[in-house]
Amino acid sequence: MAYPTPNSRTRTIQPLDDTPQRVAILKKLRSRPTVIGSAIALAVLIVLILVAPYFAPQNPYDLANLNLLDGRLPPRSTSMDGVVYLLGTDDQGRDMLSAILYGLRISLMVGLTAVALSTAIGSMAGLVAAYVGGFVDTLIMRIVDFILGFPTILVALVLLAMMGRGVDKVILALVVVQWAHYARIMRSRALQERRKEYVEAAANLGFPAWRIMVYHLLPNCLGPVMVFATIQIATAIALEATLSFLGVGVPITEPSLGLLIANGFQYLLSGDYWISMFPGVALLLLILTINIVGDRLREALDPRRA
């Protein structure tokens, strides 16, 4: 009888696109029209954001091209140069359509970058706390409890008041207030996985701790963290818009959606509704689509709803 050699490889799992779990997840995601509509709307927004420099009629960040005489023009107005502003202009003569497209780029870039950094830092902190345990676990989780004990917006306001305005500073503030959530989720999941046989087998084989954490524990703990990160993208975007609306976020030369809303807030009662309303609708649509897709993804990956 021929026995398989230790170096032989036997394929015992199906390809990724044929696994029953993947088929079930995709079936759940396709079962609701709202998810399909939200995914399409989100894809359209992302495409518009990517092609904004080629599609937008104006570069709203180039102050030399702004004309104050075109300020506060209503939608579908024509400037003295013959340019048609489909969504009107703000008080500085900035084309609202161009400003919204560029503002979406800033908001989405800040949200994605902040969530990516928060996920990386928080996941590694939670993983180390769960695997090492003892004093390290206690120290990390007390830091997490301290951060989570304060309102998120208050901590971000204090940090930006000390550091000043800027896109990089907003991202840093969002990372500081959000990484603790990922650390707690990762620690909870890693504590469950740490008691399983494959971790004990890897330790008995003499693998170093970092290899066990990175190559064995981390891949089996990323599911809940990634679903939470998808939903937190919308939270980060909303928090950035709030900070910019309060005047401590991005600089006025590179306005995001929150700053565009703040610029038109003082003109709402005078009838110039478009300066705040159109950026607000764009922000609402972006957050709503991300929340719907993320929430449905969470339900699809929840084994209790299978």
Short mmCIF file of all heavy atoms in Angstrom, two decimals, residues 30-94:
data_model
loop_
_atom_site.label_atom_id
_atom_site.label_comp_id
_atom_site.label_asym_id
_atom_site.label_seq_id
_atom_site.Cartn_x
_atom_site.Cartn_y
_atom_site.Cartn_z
N ARG A 30 -27.92 39.20 -1.84
CA ARG A 30 -28.77 39.49 -2.99
C ARG A 30 -30.25 39.38 -2.70
O ARG A 30 -31.08 39.65 -3.55
CB ARG A 30 -28.43 38.52 -4.14
CG ARG A 30 -27.07 38.75 -4.76
CD ARG A 30 -26.96 37.98 -6.07
NE ARG A 30 -27.07 36.54 -5.85
CZ ARG A 30 -26.03 35.72 -5.77
NH1 ARG A 30 -24.80 36.21 -5.89
NH2 ARG A 30 -26.20 34.43 -5.58
N SER A 31 -30.60 38.99 -1.47
CA SER A 31 -32.00 38.73 -1.16
C SER A 31 -32.80 40.00 -0.90
O SER A 31 -34.02 39.95 -0.87
CB SER A 31 -32.10 37.81 0.08
OG SER A 31 -31.51 38.44 1.21
N ARG A 32 -32.14 41.14 -0.73
CA ARG A 32 -32.84 42.39 -0.45
C ARG A 32 -32.51 43.41 -1.53
O ARG A 32 -31.34 43.71 -1.79
CB ARG A 32 -32.44 42.95 0.92
CG ARG A 32 -32.95 42.11 2.08
CD ARG A 32 -32.64 42.80 3.39
NE ARG A 32 -33.11 42.03 4.53
CZ ARG A 32 -32.95 42.39 5.80
NH1 ARG A 32 -32.32 43.53 6.07
NH2 ARG A 32 -33.40 41.65 6.78
N PRO A 33 -33.56 43.98 -2.15
CA PRO A 33 -33.29 45.00 -3.19
C PRO A 33 -32.58 46.24 -2.64
O PRO A 33 -31.86 46.91 -3.38
CB PRO A 33 -34.70 45.34 -3.70
CG PRO A 33 -35.55 44.17 -3.31
CD PRO A 33 -34.97 43.65 -2.04
N THR A 34 -32.81 46.55 -1.36
CA THR A 34 -32.16 47.74 -0.80
C THR A 34 -30.64 47.60 -0.79
O THR A 34 -29.92 48.58 -0.98
CB THR A 34 -32.66 47.98 0.64
OG1 THR A 34 -32.47 46.79 1.42
CG2 THR A 34 -34.12 48.36 0.65
N VAL A 35 -30.15 46.38 -0.57
CA VAL A 35 -28.70 46.16 -0.57
C VAL A 35 -28.14 46.35 -1.97
O VAL A 35 -27.10 46.99 -2.16
CB VAL A 35 -28.38 44.75 -0.04
CG1 VAL A 35 -26.88 44.50 -0.06
CG2 VAL A 35 -28.92 44.58 1.37
N ILE A 36 -28.84 45.81 -2.97
CA ILE A 36 -28.37 45.96 -4.35
C ILE A 36 -28.39 47.43 -4.76
O ILE A 36 -27.44 47.94 -5.36
CB ILE A 36 -29.24 45.12 -5.30
CG1 ILE A 36 -29.15 43.64 -4.91
CG2 ILE A 36 -28.81 45.32 -6.75
CD1 ILE A 36 -30.04 42.73 -5.75
N GLY A 37 -29.48 48.13 -4.42
CA GLY A 37 -29.56 49.55 -4.75
C GLY A 37 -28.50 50.37 -4.04
O GLY A 37 -27.89 51.27 -4.64
N SER A 38 -28.25 50.05 -2.77
CA SER A 38 -27.23 50.79 -2.02
C SER A 38 -25.84 50.50 -2.57
O SER A 38 -25.00 51.40 -2.66
CB SER A 38 -27.30 50.40 -0.54
OG SER A 38 -28.56 50.73 0.01
N ALA A 39 -25.59 49.24 -2.94
CA ALA A 39 -24.29 48.90 -3.51
C ALA A 39 -24.07 49.61 -4.85
O ALA A 39 -22.96 50.10 -5.13
CB ALA A 39 -24.17 47.39 -3.70
N ILE A 40 -25.11 49.70 -5.66
CA ILE A 40 -24.98 50.40 -6.94
C ILE A 40 -24.75 51.88 -6.71
O ILE A 40 -23.89 52.51 -7.36
CB ILE A 40 -26.25 50.16 -7.80
CG1 ILE A 40 -26.34 48.69 -8.20
CG2 ILE A 40 -26.22 51.05 -9.04
CD1 ILE A 40 -27.61 48.34 -8.94
N ALA A 41 -25.53 52.48 -5.78
CA ALA A 41 -25.35 53.91 -5.49
C ALA A 41 -23.96 54.19 -4.94
O ALA A 41 -23.33 55.19 -5.30
CB ALA A 41 -26.42 54.37 -4.49
N LEU A 42 -23.47 53.30 -4.07
CA LEU A 42 -22.13 53.48 -3.52
C LEU A 42 -21.07 53.36 -4.61
O LEU A 42 -20.09 54.12 -4.64
CB LEU A 42 -21.88 52.45 -2.42
CG LEU A 42 -20.54 52.52 -1.68
CD1 LEU A 42 -20.38 53.88 -1.01
CD2 LEU A 42 -20.44 51.41 -0.65
N ALA A 43 -21.26 52.41 -5.52
CA ALA A 43 -20.31 52.26 -6.63
C ALA A 43 -20.31 53.49 -7.53
O ALA A 43 -19.25 53.94 -7.98
CB ALA A 43 -20.65 51.00 -7.44
N VAL A 44 -21.49 54.06 -7.78
CA VAL A 44 -21.57 55.27 -8.61
C VAL A 44 -20.85 56.43 -7.91
O VAL A 44 -20.11 57.20 -8.56
CB VAL A 44 -23.04 55.62 -8.89
CG1 VAL A 44 -23.15 57.00 -9.55
CG2 VAL A 44 -23.68 54.57 -9.79
N LEU A 45 -21.05 56.57 -6.60
CA LEU A 45 -20.37 57.63 -5.87
C LEU A 45 -18.86 57.47 -5.92
O LEU A 45 -18.12 58.45 -6.10
CB LEU A 45 -20.86 57.65 -4.41
CG LEU A 45 -22.26 58.19 -4.16
CD1 LEU A 45 -22.62 58.04 -2.68
CD2 LEU A 45 -22.36 59.66 -4.57
N ILE A 46 -18.39 56.25 -5.76
CA ILE A 46 -16.94 56.01 -5.80
C ILE A 46 -16.37 56.34 -7.17
O ILE A 46 -15.29 56.93 -7.30
CB ILE A 46 -16.64 54.56 -5.39
CG1 ILE A 46 -17.00 54.33 -3.92
CG2 ILE A 46 -15.17 54.22 -5.64
CD1 ILE A 46 -16.82 52.91 -3.46
N VAL A 47 -17.11 55.96 -8.23
CA VAL A 47 -16.64 56.28 -9.59
C VAL A 47 -16.59 57.79 -9.79
O VAL A 47 -15.63 58.33 -10.35
CB VAL A 47 -17.56 55.61 -10.62
CG1 VAL A 47 -17.23 56.11 -12.03
CG2 VAL A 47 -17.41 54.10 -10.57
N LEU A 48 -17.62 58.50 -9.33
CA LEU A 48 -17.63 59.95 -9.47
C LEU A 48 -16.48 60.59 -8.69
O LEU A 48 -15.88 61.57 -9.14
CB LEU A 48 -18.97 60.51 -8.98
CG LEU A 48 -20.18 60.23 -9.85
CD1 LEU A 48 -21.45 60.77 -9.19
CD2 LEU A 48 -20.02 60.82 -11.24
N ILE A 49 -16.18 60.01 -7.54
CA ILE A 49 -15.06 60.54 -6.75
C ILE A 49 -13.74 60.34 -7.48
O ILE A 49 -12.88 61.23 -7.51
CB ILE A 49 -15.04 59.85 -5.37
CG1 ILE A 49 -16.26 60.29 -4.53
CG2 ILE A 49 -13.75 60.16 -4.63
CD1 ILE A 49 -16.44 59.51 -3.26
N LEU A 50 -13.57 59.17 -8.09
CA LEU A 50 -12.31 58.88 -8.78
C LEU A 50 -12.12 59.74 -10.02
O LEU A 50 -10.99 60.12 -10.34
CB LEU A 50 -12.26 57.39 -9.15
CG LEU A 50 -12.20 56.40 -7.97
CD1 LEU A 50 -12.24 54.97 -8.48
CD2 LEU A 50 -10.96 56.63 -7.13
N VAL A 51 -13.19 60.05 -10.72
CA VAL A 51 -13.08 60.83 -11.96
C VAL A 51 -13.38 62.30 -11.73
O VAL A 51 -13.58 63.03 -12.70
CB VAL A 51 -14.01 60.26 -13.05
CG1 VAL A 51 -13.67 58.80 -13.34
CG2 VAL A 51 -15.48 60.39 -12.65
N ALA A 52 -13.42 62.73 -10.47
CA ALA A 52 -13.76 64.13 -10.17
C ALA A 52 -12.86 65.13 -10.88
O ALA A 52 -13.36 66.13 -11.42
CB ALA A 52 -13.74 64.35 -8.65
N PRO A 53 -11.54 64.93 -10.93
CA PRO A 53 -10.70 65.93 -11.63
C PRO A 53 -11.02 66.06 -13.11
O PRO A 53 -10.76 67.11 -13.71
CB PRO A 53 -9.28 65.41 -11.41
CG PRO A 53 -9.37 64.54 -10.20
CD PRO A 53 -10.71 63.91 -10.27
N TYR A 54 -11.57 65.00 -13.73
CA TYR A 54 -11.88 65.04 -15.16
C TYR A 54 -13.34 65.39 -15.43
O TYR A 54 -13.68 65.85 -16.52
CB TYR A 54 -11.56 63.68 -15.80
CG TYR A 54 -10.19 63.16 -15.45
CD1 TYR A 54 -10.01 62.23 -14.43
CD2 TYR A 54 -9.06 63.61 -16.12
CE1 TYR A 54 -8.76 61.75 -14.10
CE2 TYR A 54 -7.80 63.15 -15.80
CZ TYR A 54 -7.66 62.21 -14.78
OH TYR A 54 -6.41 61.76 -14.46
N PHE A 55 -14.20 65.16 -14.44
CA PHE A 55 -15.63 65.36 -14.63
C PHE A 55 -16.11 66.69 -14.08
O PHE A 55 -17.03 67.30 -14.63
CB PHE A 55 -16.40 64.20 -13.96
CG PHE A 55 -17.89 64.33 -14.05
CD1 PHE A 55 -18.55 64.04 -15.23
CD2 PHE A 55 -18.64 64.73 -12.95
CE1 PHE A 55 -19.93 64.16 -15.32
CE2 PHE A 55 -20.01 64.85 -13.03
CZ PHE A 55 -20.66 64.55 -14.22
N ALA A 56 -15.49 67.15 -13.01
CA ALA A 56 -15.92 68.39 -12.37
C ALA A 56 -15.64 69.58 -13.28
O ALA A 56 -14.56 69.69 -13.88
CB ALA A 56 -15.23 68.58 -11.03
N PRO A 57 -16.59 70.52 -13.43
CA PRO A 57 -16.36 71.68 -14.28
C PRO A 57 -15.33 72.65 -13.73
O PRO A 57 -14.84 73.52 -14.47
CB PRO A 57 -17.74 72.36 -14.34
CG PRO A 57 -18.70 71.50 -13.59
CD PRO A 57 -17.92 70.47 -12.85
N GLN A 58 -14.99 72.54 -12.45
CA GLN A 58 -14.10 73.52 -11.83
C GLN A 58 -13.28 72.85 -10.75
O GLN A 58 -13.73 71.88 -10.13
CB GLN A 58 -14.94 74.66 -11.24
CG GLN A 58 -14.17 75.76 -10.54
CD GLN A 58 -15.11 76.68 -9.76
OE1 GLN A 58 -15.50 76.38 -8.64
NE2 GLN A 58 -15.49 77.79 -10.39
N ASN A 59 -12.08 73.36 -10.53
CA ASN A 59 -11.28 72.91 -9.40
C ASN A 59 -11.57 73.84 -8.21
O ASN A 59 -11.08 74.96 -8.16
CB ASN A 59 -9.79 72.95 -9.73
CG ASN A 59 -8.93 72.42 -8.59
OD1 ASN A 59 -9.44 72.00 -7.55
ND2 ASN A 59 -7.62 72.45 -8.78
N PRO A 60 -12.39 73.40 -7.26
CA PRO A 60 -12.80 74.30 -6.18
C PRO A 60 -11.67 74.65 -5.22
O PRO A 60 -11.81 75.59 -4.43
CB PRO A 60 -13.90 73.51 -5.47
CG PRO A 60 -13.58 72.09 -5.74
CD PRO A 60 -12.97 72.06 -7.11
N TYR A 61 -10.56 73.94 -5.29
CA TYR A 61 -9.43 74.23 -4.40
C TYR A 61 -8.49 75.27 -4.98
O TYR A 61 -7.60 75.75 -4.28
CB TYR A 61 -8.65 72.94 -4.11
CG TYR A 61 -9.46 71.89 -3.40
CD1 TYR A 61 -9.10 70.55 -3.45
CD2 TYR A 61 -10.61 72.23 -2.69
CE1 TYR A 61 -9.84 69.58 -2.81
CE2 TYR A 61 -11.37 71.25 -2.05
CZ TYR A 61 -10.98 69.94 -2.12
OH TYR A 61 -11.72 68.97 -1.49
N ASP A 62 -8.65 75.58 -6.27
CA ASP A 62 -7.82 76.60 -6.91
C ASP A 62 -8.48 77.96 -6.69
O ASP A 62 -9.41 78.36 -7.41
CB ASP A 62 -7.68 76.29 -8.39
CG ASP A 62 -6.67 77.18 -9.08
OD1 ASP A 62 -6.06 78.04 -8.38
OD2 ASP A 62 -6.48 77.05 -10.29
N LEU A 63 -8.01 78.69 -5.69
CA LEU A 63 -8.64 79.97 -5.33
C LEU A 63 -8.49 81.02 -6.42
O LEU A 63 -9.28 81.96 -6.49
CB LEU A 63 -8.04 80.48 -4.01
CG LEU A 63 -8.17 79.55 -2.80
CD1 LEU A 63 -7.55 80.19 -1.57
CD2 LEU A 63 -9.64 79.20 -2.55
N ALA A 64 -7.50 80.87 -7.29
CA ALA A 64 -7.29 81.86 -8.35
C ALA A 64 -8.40 81.83 -9.39
O ALA A 64 -8.63 82.82 -10.08
CB ALA A 64 -5.94 81.63 -9.01
N ASN A 65 -9.09 80.68 -9.52
CA ASN A 65 -10.15 80.56 -10.52
C ASN A 65 -11.52 80.94 -9.97
O ASN A 65 -12.50 80.90 -10.72
CB ASN A 65 -10.20 79.12 -11.06
CG ASN A 65 -8.98 78.79 -11.88
OD1 ASN A 65 -8.37 79.66 -12.50
ND2 ASN A 65 -8.60 77.52 -11.88
N LEU A 66 -11.62 81.29 -8.70
CA LEU A 66 -12.91 81.65 -8.11
C LEU A 66 -13.20 83.12 -8.35
O LEU A 66 -12.31 83.98 -8.24
CB LEU A 66 -12.91 81.34 -6.61
CG LEU A 66 -12.64 79.88 -6.22
CD1 LEU A 66 -12.74 79.71 -4.71
CD2 LEU A 66 -13.59 78.93 -6.93
N ASN A 67 -14.45 83.38 -8.66
CA ASN A 67 -14.89 84.76 -8.92
C ASN A 67 -15.98 85.11 -7.92
O ASN A 67 -17.05 84.50 -7.91
CB ASN A 67 -15.42 84.88 -10.35
CG ASN A 67 -15.66 86.32 -10.76
OD1 ASN A 67 -15.60 87.24 -9.93
ND2 ASN A 67 -15.94 86.54 -12.04
N LEU A 68 -15.69 86.08 -7.06
CA LEU A 68 -16.67 86.47 -6.04
C LEU A 68 -17.95 87.03 -6.65
O LEU A 68 -19.01 87.02 -6.00
CB LEU A 68 -16.04 87.49 -5.09
CG LEU A 68 -14.89 86.97 -4.21
CD1 LEU A 68 -14.33 88.10 -3.36
CD2 LEU A 68 -15.36 85.82 -3.33
N LEU A 69 -17.87 87.53 -7.89
CA LEU A 69 -19.07 88.06 -8.54
C LEU A 69 -20.07 86.96 -8.88
O LEU A 69 -21.25 87.24 -9.12
CB LEU A 69 -18.69 88.83 -9.81
CG LEU A 69 -17.81 90.08 -9.61
CD1 LEU A 69 -17.47 90.71 -10.94
CD2 LEU A 69 -18.52 91.08 -8.69
N ASP A 70 -19.61 85.71 -8.93
CA ASP A 70 -20.49 84.58 -9.18
C ASP A 70 -20.98 83.94 -7.89
O ASP A 70 -21.51 82.82 -7.91
CB ASP A 70 -19.76 83.52 -10.02
CG ASP A 70 -19.44 84.01 -11.41
OD1 ASP A 70 -20.16 84.92 -11.89
OD2 ASP A 70 -18.46 83.51 -12.01
N GLY A 71 -20.81 84.59 -6.77
CA GLY A 71 -21.20 84.02 -5.49
C GLY A 71 -22.70 83.94 -5.31
O GLY A 71 -23.46 84.81 -5.75
N ARG A 72 -23.14 82.83 -4.69
CA ARG A 72 -24.53 82.60 -4.31
C ARG A 72 -25.48 82.62 -5.50
O ARG A 72 -26.61 83.09 -5.41
CB ARG A 72 -24.96 83.61 -3.25
CG ARG A 72 -24.15 83.53 -1.98
CD ARG A 72 -24.39 84.70 -1.06
NE ARG A 72 -25.78 84.77 -0.64
CZ ARG A 72 -26.27 85.75 0.14
NH1 ARG A 72 -25.47 86.72 0.55
NH2 ARG A 72 -27.54 85.75 0.48
N LEU A 73 -25.03 82.07 -6.60
CA LEU A 73 -25.92 81.93 -7.76
C LEU A 73 -26.80 80.70 -7.56
O LEU A 73 -26.32 79.65 -7.13
CB LEU A 73 -25.11 81.77 -9.05
CG LEU A 73 -24.31 82.99 -9.51
CD1 LEU A 73 -23.54 82.65 -10.78
CD2 LEU A 73 -25.21 84.19 -9.74
N PRO A 74 -28.10 80.79 -7.87
CA PRO A 74 -28.99 79.63 -7.69
C PRO A 74 -28.68 78.53 -8.69
O PRO A 74 -27.94 78.75 -9.67
CB PRO A 74 -30.38 80.23 -7.92
CG PRO A 74 -30.14 81.44 -8.75
CD PRO A 74 -28.81 81.97 -8.35
N PRO A 75 -29.23 77.34 -8.50
CA PRO A 75 -28.99 76.25 -9.45
C PRO A 75 -29.43 76.61 -10.87
O PRO A 75 -30.37 77.35 -11.08
CB PRO A 75 -29.82 75.09 -8.87
CG PRO A 75 -29.94 75.40 -7.42
CD PRO A 75 -29.98 76.90 -7.32
N ARG A 76 -28.68 76.04 -11.85
CA ARG A 76 -28.90 76.23 -13.28
C ARG A 76 -28.70 77.68 -13.69
O ARG A 76 -29.28 78.13 -14.69
CB ARG A 76 -30.27 75.73 -13.70
CG ARG A 76 -30.49 74.23 -13.51
CD ARG A 76 -31.81 73.79 -14.06
NE ARG A 76 -32.91 74.49 -13.44
CZ ARG A 76 -33.48 74.11 -12.30
NH1 ARG A 76 -33.03 73.03 -11.66
NH2 ARG A 76 -34.48 74.79 -11.79
N SER A 77 -27.89 78.41 -12.95
CA SER A 77 -27.58 79.80 -13.33
C SER A 77 -26.38 79.83 -14.26
O SER A 77 -25.55 78.91 -14.28
CB SER A 77 -27.30 80.64 -12.08
OG SER A 77 -28.45 80.72 -11.26
N THR A 78 -26.28 80.92 -15.01
CA THR A 78 -25.18 81.12 -15.94
C THR A 78 -24.35 82.30 -15.47
O THR A 78 -24.88 83.37 -15.18
CB THR A 78 -25.69 81.38 -17.37
OG1 THR A 78 -26.52 80.28 -17.78
CG2 THR A 78 -24.53 81.50 -18.34
N SER A 79 -23.05 82.10 -15.38
CA SER A 79 -22.16 83.16 -14.94
C SER A 79 -21.91 84.15 -16.07
O SER A 79 -22.36 83.98 -17.21
CB SER A 79 -20.83 82.57 -14.45
OG SER A 79 -20.13 82.00 -15.55
N MET A 80 -21.17 85.22 -15.76
CA MET A 80 -20.84 86.22 -16.77
C MET A 80 -19.91 85.65 -17.84
O MET A 80 -19.84 86.18 -18.94
CB MET A 80 -20.18 87.42 -16.10
CG MET A 80 -21.12 88.20 -15.18
SD MET A 80 -20.34 89.67 -14.49
CE MET A 80 -19.04 88.92 -13.51
N ASP A 81 -19.22 84.56 -17.52
CA ASP A 81 -18.33 83.91 -18.50
C ASP A 81 -19.06 82.86 -19.33
O ASP A 81 -18.43 82.20 -20.16
CB ASP A 81 -17.15 83.26 -17.78
CG ASP A 81 -16.30 84.28 -17.03
OD1 ASP A 81 -16.28 85.44 -17.47
OD2 ASP A 81 -15.69 83.90 -16.01
N GLY A 82 -20.35 82.68 -19.09
CA GLY A 82 -21.13 81.71 -19.84
C GLY A 82 -21.10 80.31 -19.27
O GLY A 82 -21.60 79.37 -19.91
N VAL A 83 -20.56 80.11 -18.07
CA VAL A 83 -20.51 78.80 -17.43
C VAL A 83 -21.83 78.54 -16.72
O VAL A 83 -22.32 79.41 -15.97
CB VAL A 83 -19.34 78.72 -16.44
CG1 VAL A 83 -19.30 77.34 -15.78
CG2 VAL A 83 -18.03 78.99 -17.16
N VAL A 84 -22.41 77.37 -16.94
CA VAL A 84 -23.68 76.99 -16.30
C VAL A 84 -23.37 76.21 -15.02
O VAL A 84 -22.66 75.19 -15.06
CB VAL A 84 -24.55 76.14 -17.24
CG1 VAL A 84 -25.83 75.73 -16.54
CG2 VAL A 84 -24.85 76.91 -18.52
N TYR A 85 -23.89 76.69 -13.91
CA TYR A 85 -23.72 76.02 -12.62
C TYR A 85 -24.99 75.24 -12.31
O TYR A 85 -26.01 75.81 -11.92
CB TYR A 85 -23.43 77.05 -11.52
CG TYR A 85 -22.16 77.83 -11.73
CD1 TYR A 85 -22.18 79.19 -12.00
CD2 TYR A 85 -20.92 77.20 -11.65
CE1 TYR A 85 -21.00 79.91 -12.17
CE2 TYR A 85 -19.74 77.90 -11.85
CZ TYR A 85 -19.79 79.25 -12.10
OH TYR A 85 -18.61 79.95 -12.30
N LEU A 86 -24.92 73.92 -12.48
CA LEU A 86 -26.11 73.09 -12.32
C LEU A 86 -26.65 73.11 -10.90
O LEU A 86 -27.86 73.10 -10.68
CB LEU A 86 -25.79 71.65 -12.74
CG LEU A 86 -25.43 71.44 -14.22
CD1 LEU A 86 -25.08 69.98 -14.47
CD2 LEU A 86 -26.57 71.89 -15.12
N LEU A 87 -25.76 73.14 -9.92
CA LEU A 87 -26.17 73.14 -8.51
C LEU A 87 -25.92 74.49 -7.87
O LEU A 87 -25.99 74.60 -6.63
CB LEU A 87 -25.43 72.05 -7.74
CG LEU A 87 -25.63 70.61 -8.23
CD1 LEU A 87 -24.90 69.62 -7.34
CD2 LEU A 87 -27.11 70.25 -8.29
N GLY A 88 -25.65 75.52 -8.63
CA GLY A 88 -25.42 76.83 -8.06
C GLY A 88 -24.00 77.00 -7.56
O GLY A 88 -23.12 76.16 -7.78
N THR A 89 -23.78 78.11 -6.86
CA THR A 89 -22.46 78.41 -6.29
C THR A 89 -22.62 78.80 -4.83
O THR A 89 -23.72 79.14 -4.37
CB THR A 89 -21.79 79.57 -7.06
OG1 THR A 89 -22.61 80.75 -6.95
CG2 THR A 89 -21.62 79.22 -8.52
N ASP A 90 -21.49 78.79 -4.10
CA ASP A 90 -21.52 79.22 -2.71
C ASP A 90 -21.16 80.70 -2.63
O ASP A 90 -21.10 81.40 -3.64
CB ASP A 90 -20.59 78.36 -1.86
CG ASP A 90 -19.13 78.47 -2.30
OD1 ASP A 90 -18.84 79.24 -3.24
OD2 ASP A 90 -18.28 77.80 -1.69
N ASP A 91 -20.91 81.19 -1.43
CA ASP A 91 -20.66 82.62 -1.25
C ASP A 91 -19.34 83.07 -1.86
O ASP A 91 -19.13 84.27 -2.06
CB ASP A 91 -20.71 82.97 0.24
CG ASP A 91 -19.72 82.15 1.05
OD1 ASP A 91 -19.32 81.07 0.58
OD2 ASP A 91 -19.35 82.58 2.16
N GLN A 92 -18.43 82.14 -2.15
CA GLN A 92 -17.14 82.50 -2.75
C GLN A 92 -17.10 82.25 -4.26
O GLN A 92 -16.03 82.32 -4.86
CB GLN A 92 -16.02 81.71 -2.06
CG GLN A 92 -15.90 82.00 -0.58
CD GLN A 92 -14.76 81.24 0.07
OE1 GLN A 92 -13.89 80.74 -0.62
NE2 GLN A 92 -14.76 81.19 1.39
N GLY A 93 -18.23 81.94 -4.86
CA GLY A 93 -18.26 81.67 -6.28
C GLY A 93 -17.81 80.28 -6.65
O GLY A 93 -17.50 80.01 -7.82
N ARG A 94 -17.75 79.38 -5.70
CA ARG A 94 -17.30 78.01 -5.95
C ARG A 94 -18.46 77.19 -6.50
O ARG A 94 -19.56 77.20 -5.95
CB ARG A 94 -16.78 77.39 -4.65
CG ARG A 94 -16.18 76.02 -4.80
CD ARG A 94 -15.80 75.43 -3.46
NE ARG A 94 -14.65 76.11 -2.88
CZ ARG A 94 -14.70 76.84 -1.77
NH1 ARG A 94 -15.86 77.00 -1.12
NH2 ARG A 94 -13.61 77.40 -1.31
#
